[in-house]
Amino acid sequence: MILGGLLAVTLTVVKACQAPEGALERFGVDSLSKLTTLDVPPAQPGIEFQTPTATVSLADFQGKVVLVNVWATWCAPCVVEMPSLDNLERLRGGEDFAVVPISLDRTMEEIETFYDRMELTDLPIIHDPNYTSNAALELPGLPTSILYDRNGREVARLPGEAYWDSPEALALIDYLIAQ
């Protein structure tokens, strides 16, 4: 009995010494298991991208929660992820939230052909023709998703693919929109 009591006290002390779970880390389950927050997140870069009709920057989305997803048509995990991003934009996109998929393909035509083939109807077509995203966003590889709050501050990132229309992803987006 004494041994059991000592074990219980030891476990309580160890648990009390651990860092508390962050607000966003509780969403890092299932397909979001690689979701991380940075102690010192980088500032949102001022780089520009191309749409079929205009030049845009991340600052254009100020006031919204933004999920930036850097991807390419030649990246197999990116291809798997794109339908769920399209569905997320359909389910949550609007005045409070936007998915910003930044393609690193060679041409705008490659992206447009891919969208047609995959029947992606809700995602905007955004192209990084100068390939500045990798360095500016400090990407570990493709795909990488970065979440920004309404003030343009990075709040989390996820390297690799995820199912962005899963219950845990929708709960994460809803949580960030409510902040």
Side-chain angles (χ1 to χ4, degrees), residues 3-175:
L3 187 57
L6 287 174
L7 180 59
V9 169
T10 302
L11 290 175
T12 302
V13 169
V14 168
K15 182 78 173 167
C17 292
Q18 292 176 341
E21 184 175 310
L24 296 181
E25 290 164 348
R26 67 180 170 182
F27 297 101
V29 298
D30 297 330
S31 74
L32 300 183
S33 64
K34 295 181 184 175
L35 186 73
T36 60
T37 56
L38 303 176
D39 291 334
V40 182
Q44 190 178 63
I47 53 180
E48 294 184 335
F49 309 104
Q50 300 298 313
T51 72
T53 59
T55 299
V56 297
S57 73
L58 294 180
D60 294 335
F61 297 93
Q62 196 85 4
K64 293 184 180 194
V65 173
V66 175
L67 173 64
V68 170
N69 180 270
V70 185
W71 70 286
T73 61
W74 44 262
C75 163
C78 301
V79 171
V80 168
E81 180 176 61
M82 291 303 285
S84 72
L85 287 164
D86 190 57
N87 197 34
L88 174 61
E89 179 64 21
R90 182 173 24 268
L91 294 171
R92 296 295 188 271
E95 71 178 55
D96 291 321
F97 175 75
V99 177
V100 178
I102 300 170
S103 173
L104 296 181
D105 284 289
R106 288 177 298 194
T107 67
M108 186 77 71
E109 292 75 26
E110 288 175 301
I111 306 162
E112 291 170 333
T113 300
F114 175 82
Y115 271 49
D116 288 343
R117 183 170 39 90
M118 296 292 291
E119 299 179 357
L120 304 175
T121 58
D122 290 279
L123 288 176
I125 293 175
I126 301 175
H127 183 226
D128 178 3
N130 301 316
Y131 308 103
T132 56
S133 300
N134 277 340
L137 295 172
E138 300 178 19
L139 301 178
L142 295 181
T144 296
S145 298
I146 303 172
L147 281 160
Y148 291 99
D149 68 12
R150 294 176 187 274
N151 298 313
R153 290 185 306 250
E154 180 179 326
V155 294
R157 63 174 51 211
L158 190 146
E161 73 184 85
Y163 294 101
W164 287 105
D165 56 353
S166 66
E168 63 273 10
L170 293 173
L172 170 62
I173 300 305
D174 291 341
Y175 173 81

